[in-house]
Amino acid sequence: MDPDCAICHAPASMACDCEAKGLEVAVKQAEERMMRSIYGDIRSWVRAHAQDYILEYFRQLAERRKTAHSAHLDHITAHAFYHYNAPPHPNQIAEAQATLKRGIDEDWQASVQRYPEVLEYFYSLIELTLPADDEAAVKNPPLTAPPRKPSRRAGSISASAGSAPPPAIAPPSSFHDRDALMERRTPAPATTPRDRRTFRPPPPQHHPSSSYYAPFG
């Protein structure tokens, strides 16, 4: 005999989706409670490493730019003294400085626009490992005994003293059995088959540099 819906109490023959929706809400709430700090740690780790990479990448570009600028100043200085026995004209120095500034701005823009590629790379290094289905903590979690029904005594609610706990309900012997039991009442969302042990993000995809414009300020 199939039990009525645990939420709306409709007969099982009604095949309502209350339990399935309730399970989805419970999963999201549990994920928020248990995984939020983990997601935050992952995000902080990825962000820090991506920023370090971008800053180092920009530093290398800027150093090459400054080296070329110094060589250019040496060249125009030597040329001025050779031909005019005088330092370069101030306009030449100002033009060289302006060229350096434009180049550094271009290097910084090129560096910042690599963030999508760099972030995806560091996210792809993260591995989330799930326990095996046959591990003791999975097959026999310490959650098998249902809670005892509380009794009201002297205006308060407490567990019934002296009564023996109800017998533990053995969990399904395998995930296949569990899925068969729950398929009708709380169907899981359709997913593609995957390895239950380890999840690793897909490799990062290349993004054109114009796909990202960094906020400044």
Side-chain angles (χ1 to χ4, degrees):
M1 179 181 295
D2 292 332
D4 294 342
C5 175
I7 298 177
C8 72
H9 309 296
S13 59
M14 297 291 292
C16 66
D17 60 354
C18 299
E19 293 175 359
K21 291 180 178 178
L23 177 58
E24 284 301 306
V25 171
V27 168
K28 291 178 181 178
Q29 291 174 343
E31 180 179 341
E32 172 68 14
R33 288 192 298 269
M34 303 303 296
M35 301 299 292
R36 178 171 55 181
S37 63
I38 297 177
Y39 292 155
D41 291 342
I42 291 174
R43 186 181 300 109
S44 297
W45 183 86
V46 169
R47 179 189 180 100
H49 283 277
Q51 286 181 318
D52 289 345
Y53 177 88
I54 292 298
L55 291 175
E56 176 61 20
Y57 181 78
F58 168 70
R59 187 192 66 79
Q60 294 180 12
L61 294 181
E63 285 298 321
R64 288 200 291 265
R65 185 80 63 175
K66 291 175 182 178
T67 299
H69 172 71
S70 296
H72 177 62
L73 289 181
D74 291 342
H75 173 73
I76 62 176
T77 299
H79 183 271
F81 274 102
Y82 180 81
H83 289 281
Y84 308 107
N85 196 27
H89 193 278
N91 288 344
Q92 287 183 292
I93 302 297
E95 182 180 353
Q97 293 290 350
T99 300
L100 174 63
K101 179 62 168 62
R102 286 193 301 270
I104 288 180
D105 288 344
E106 292 173 0
D107 291 340
W108 178 240
Q109 183 179 10
S111 300
V112 170
Q113 287 179 345
R114 293 196 65 193
Y115 262 123
E117 171 193 0
V118 175
L119 288 167
E120 288 186 8
Y121 169 76
F122 282 109
Y123 268 115
S124 73
L125 299 181
I126 298 169
E127 292 185 358
L128 302 178
T129 302
L130 303 179
D133 294 349
D134 57 355
E135 289 190 16
V138 176
K139 294 184 64 177
N140 298 296
L143 308 170
T144 54
R148 291 180 291 180
K149 185 177 181 180
S151 62
R152 185 179 298 274
R153 292 185 180 181
S156 64
I157 298 178
S158 62
S160 301
S163 59
I169 300 175
S173 58
S174 68
F175 275 87
H176 175 75
D177 296 336
R178 181 203 63 185
D179 294 341
L181 289 173
M182 301 301 294
E183 181 179 3
R184 180 180 59 80
R185 301 305 296 264
T186 52
T191 57
T192 55
R194 62 176 177 83
D195 181 6
R196 291 183 181 272
R197 294 303 306 279
T198 301
F199 168 77
R200 188 165 190 169
Q205 299 179 355
H206 175 70
H207 292 268
S209 60
S210 60
S211 64
Y212 176 79
Y213 297 92
F216 291 92

